[in-house]
Amino acid sequence: SQQGEEDPQALSIQEGENATMNCSYKTSINNLQWYRQNSGRGLVHLILIRSNEREKHSGRLRVTLDTSKKSSSLLITASRAADTASYFCATPKPAGNKLTFGGGTRVLVKP
Amino acid sequence: DTGVSQNPRHKITKRGQNVTFRCDPISEHNRLYWYRQTLGQGPEFLTYFQNEAQLEKSRLLSDRFSAERPKGSFSTLEIQRTEQGDSAMYLCASSLERLGRMNTEAFFGQGTRLTVV
């Protein structure tokens, strides 16, 4: 099974609302990363949170990490139509830094 | 543009044909990764290079797949005798790994979408 699993699989909200998605993982990690992917395009790195951090902000993004529960959340505040995309959490293996991705959360922001 | 570049963006091929994709990473990045992504799923790791050395290959990388990074710069991924199950988006990523600073962010290209008919 995947190391990272996002929840929910899909989310539909109105512009201006907040979007929250969660990620659970199984093994210990050095950090957890969130990526965005617009339809049919490559992935864009959003934010990296290290295992000794509990919360991190970047613009309208807020990420939390709870290593005791092996979970993370991504909050997008004041969503915009341009935030419509799939969002993936990813955890790197200590050796090689190869990323293990979850199945993603597909977010639709309606204008 | 100094990002990761992948070519071609799209490739349609007949079953049984060979295809080759190219990835140009960010120039100072020493790590280069290949991932495969099927519709509705997250990317899955295929292989990665540290400079020109291929350090790991996933079990997903059958013997029909071969990847090279001959001079530690660009990389190619070749699929021989393509099958319909090879249809996917092939993503390349690069990162700069330094001693003492592990697991930095990866920068992804736009991907090559392969359709095997």
Side-chain angles (χ1 to χ4, degrees):
Chain A
S1 59
Q2 297 251 12
Q3 165 75 326
E5 293 292 343
E6 289 88 343
D7 169 56
Q9 291 188 329
L11 188 57
S12 180
I13 56 174
Q14 292 294 137
E15 206 165 26
E17 292 180 342
N18 296 343
T20 300
M21 59 211 86
N22 304 296
C23 167
S24 60
Y25 58 93
K26 292 180 170 59
T27 61
S28 60
I29 57 171
N30 290 324
N31 66 70
L32 185 142
Q33 301 172 34
W34 285 90
Y35 288 82
R36 184 186 73 218
Q37 185 178 39
N38 292 90
S39 181
R41 309 290 294 273
L43 281 81
V44 174
H45 182 270
L46 294 176
I47 199 164
L48 180 154
I49 185 166
R50 300 199 183 277
S51 58
N52 60 353
E53 297 175 310
R54 291 295 166 260
E55 188 170 311
K56 200 163 183 180
H57 297 254
S58 176
R60 293 183 297 110
L61 304 179
R62 173 176 166 257
V63 167
T64 64
L65 180 64
D66 187 336
T67 53
S68 67
K69 294 181 180 177
K70 292 187 168 57
S71 68
S72 173
S73 69
L74 170 66
L75 167 67
I76 306 172
T77 60
S79 62
R80 305 168 182 168
D83 295 328
T84 293
S86 291
Y87 293 82
F88 296 91
C89 68
T91 52
K93 296 283 188 195
N97 198 23
K98 59 181 192 261
L99 296 169
T100 301
F101 289 86
T105 293
R106 279 154 282 286
V107 175
L108 172 63
V109 181
K110 294 179 279 189
Chain B
D1 188 336
T2 57
V4 178
S5 175
Q6 291 189 246
N7 288 287
R9 291 291 311 278
H10 303 273
K11 178 73 178 177
I12 300 174
T13 190
K14 291 184 178 178
R15 192 173 50 186
Q17 297 292 306
N18 299 343
V19 294
T20 300
F21 311 140
R22 177 177 170 125
C23 171
D24 287 272
I26 293 172
S27 59
E28 64 268 26
H29 284 184
N30 50 7
R31 289 264 176 97
L32 186 150
Y33 307 82
W34 285 99
Y35 291 83
R36 182 173 70 186
Q37 185 180 26
T38 53
L39 202 61
Q41 303 295 316
E44 295 174 293
F45 169 78
L46 290 179
T47 187
Y48 87 95
F49 294 83
Q50 170 86 17
N51 300 313
E52 66 274 11
Q54 188 174 17
L55 295 188
E56 188 171 345
K57 293 191 285 188
S58 158
R59 291 191 191 107
L60 293 175
L61 215 65
S62 75
D63 56 7
R64 296 184 298 105
F65 289 69
S66 62
E68 293 183 343
R69 194 182 183 198
K71 297 180 181 177
S73 57
F74 74 91
S75 175
T76 58
L77 177 68
E78 181 184 16
I79 309 174
Q80 296 182 326
R81 304 181 304 280
T82 52
E83 302 172 356
Q84 286 187 320
D86 297 331
S87 295
M89 173 83 90
Y90 290 84
L91 294 162
C92 175
S94 70
S95 67
L96 178 62
E97 302 296 320
R98 296 191 190 95
L99 281 176
R101 184 168 173 80
M102 293 174 59
N103 300 156
T104 56
E105 65 182 280
F107 293 81
F108 281 79
Q110 294 294 312
T112 295
R113 181 168 296 284
L114 172 67
T115 303
V116 181
V117 297

